[in-house]
Amino acid sequence: MPIITSEIQYRLSGGAANADPLLSLGGIKSATAFGANFFDDVTSAQSAAGSVEYRCLYVHNNNATLIYQNAVIWIQANTPSVDTTLDIGIGTSAINGVEAATASETVAPTGVTFSAPTAFGAGLVLGSIPAGQHRAVWVRRTVNAGAAAINSDTYTLRAQGDTAA
């Protein structure tokens, strides 16, 4: 049976037991998948001055036997706000490695190049991820200075790859 969608998971970083997306700043892969609130709410001070924050996630192949082949990741839907944008970058650690952690959410990860691919063909290459293993991806949220308030400033990341039958 091929890998099914639910077997490709987006897991937090920050330690095996980390369940707080705000602490997902690199380090060991968590057993917790992240939900819709990967970033915290933007404060009025951040909105006025502008803000750039980072999070690290792991694309995890939760299939027991199959390799997630030639996988890529992209931003299927960027934020609806004209005052915020999302960019992604592949982590510097090897497949199934531990990504170096940053000192805080406002410190950029070393050696990571960010972009905002919006389609599979332009997606960032994750490579082939063996069963039970992962690849690190960094997400950068930029809030422009003077940003207007918005509810539900969401986004959608998408990974896609091949699998044996």
Side-chain angles (χ1 to χ4, degrees):
M1 175 187 266
I3 295 173
I4 58 175
T5 303
S6 63
E7 292 175 320
I8 302 304
Q9 300 174 345
Y10 301 95
R11 300 253 189 109
L12 297 174
S13 62
N18 181 36
D20 185 350
L22 303 183
L23 299 177
S24 192
L25 304 174
I28 295 171
K29 175 183 68 180
S30 174
T32 303
F34 83 88
N37 295 323
F38 200 45
F39 289 97
D40 52 348
D41 291 339
V42 176
T43 67
S44 58
Q46 290 171 322
S47 175
S51 172
V52 178
E53 295 180 354
Y54 301 88
R55 298 286 186 274
C56 179
L57 64 94
Y58 288 101
V59 177
H60 176 77
N61 176 0
N62 203 40
N63 185 280
T65 60
L66 297 176
I67 297 170
Y68 191 38
Q69 303 167 349
N70 307 311
V72 300
I73 189 167
W74 71 95
I75 303 168
Q76 188 170 19
N78 213 315
T79 66
S81 170
V82 297
D83 291 319
T84 60
T85 56
L86 224 62
D87 298 288
I88 57 175
I90 302 300
T92 58
S93 61
I95 288 177
N96 214 40
V98 175
E99 188 69 8
T102 62
S104 76
E105 67 181 6
T106 60
V107 175
T110 303
V112 176
T113 301
F114 289 90
S115 63
T118 59
F120 173 78
L124 303 182
V125 176
L126 296 168
S128 292
I129 305 172
Q133 297 187 17
H134 58 265
R135 184 72 195 263
V137 176
W138 285 91
V139 182
R140 176 178 68 192
R141 178 183 69 179
T142 303
V143 178
N144 297 331
I150 184 170
N151 290 325
S152 300
D153 196 22
T154 60
Y155 58 90
T156 304
L157 299 179
R158 172 104 191 262
Q160 183 177 330
D162 297 320
T163 181

